[in-house]
Amino acid sequence: MTDSDPLLGPSLDPASMRKQYRAAGLDETELADHPMEQFARWFVEAAAHGEARGGVYEPNAMVVSTADAQGRPSSRTVLLKQYDERGFVFFTNYESRKARELAENPHVSLLFPWHPVARQVVVSGTARRTGRDETAAYFRTRPHGSQLGAWASTQSSVVSSRDELDASYASLVARYPEGEQVPVPPHWGGFRVSPRAVEFWQGRENRLHDRLRYVAVPDGQWRVERLSP
């Protein structure tokens, strides 16, 4: 049923939107010993599902939530670019809001929302900048236009118009035409999020979802605990 609001116009009732999850469950005996190995399994499955019509779009898209020194949170979607046993890596402008907040407060949360397969992965950890060599190696793999975009955008700052942004990009195209090496911006680079807890969420019937969380323990191992849905 739709309603009409004088300010919002026709609207839908979100409380009436329901999907019944019928996916197979997630059992402790099925988990890998290390959360990054378990993440790799699910990531491959999400990517494979994305190849089908209506599948997971950009399975490497993740919501990054940070907070400033006063604890005020902010969130945005970025793309995961690397992962291994050390954690999750993304790249950004070091003058952006997220980077400024991480400089004040390195605690961060990541969320991979794989809705078409009724799965989520939630990560809690700390972020540290990657080394410049690692940043440069990744920067060289970016398309030429994306390399220029890293120079053209003063991310999170107020810009007077789209024309100003386009003009900045155009001047860079003239300075660094296709085929010419673009230097790595000194204000741009990566963050590696080292996990302290990783939750694997599998949707189930009647909202009785499976939630299994790895928690780091002092001896370097991981404890697995089941959370109530």
Side-chain angles (χ1 to χ4, degrees), residues 2 8 50-51 58 81 205:
T2 62
L8 302 179
E51 295 176 0
E58 289 192 321
K81 290 302 181 181
E205 286 185 298

Side-chain angles (χ1 to χ4, degrees), residues 149-163:
W151 279 100
S153 171
T154 54
Q155 195 174 95
S156 301
S157 65
V158 176
V159 63
S160 63
S161 67
R162 176 73 197 198
D163 289 343

Side-chain angles (χ1 to χ4, degrees), residues 97-158:
R97 177 176 180 177
K98 70 176 94 53
R100 294 196 308 270
E101 291 184 347
L102 288 173
E104 297 177 345
N105 177 359
H107 298 287
V108 62
S109 176
L110 310 177
L111 167 64
F112 293 86
W114 296 328
H115 301 304
V117 292
R119 285 178 172 177
Q120 302 179 69
V121 179
V122 185
V123 180
S124 298
T126 54
R128 295 288 185 272
R129 290 188 181 189
T130 60
R132 292 309 292 174
D133 289 347
E134 187 174 355
T135 289
Y138 169 69
F139 188 79
R140 298 289 171 231
T141 70
R142 286 166 65 94
H144 182 256
S146 296
Q147 292 181 0
L148 297 181
W151 279 100
S153 171
T154 54
Q155 195 174 95
S156 301
S157 65
V158 176

Side-chain angles (χ1 to χ4, degrees), residues 18 21 39 41 60 67 110 128 142 152 163 196 198 203 209 211 224 229:
R18 293 183 176 86
Y21 303 131
F39 175 82
R41 293 179 185 176
N60 61 324
L110 310 177
R128 295 288 185 272
R142 286 166 65 94
D163 289 343
R196 298 298 300 165
V198 185
H209 314 305
R211 300 175 60 191
V224 174

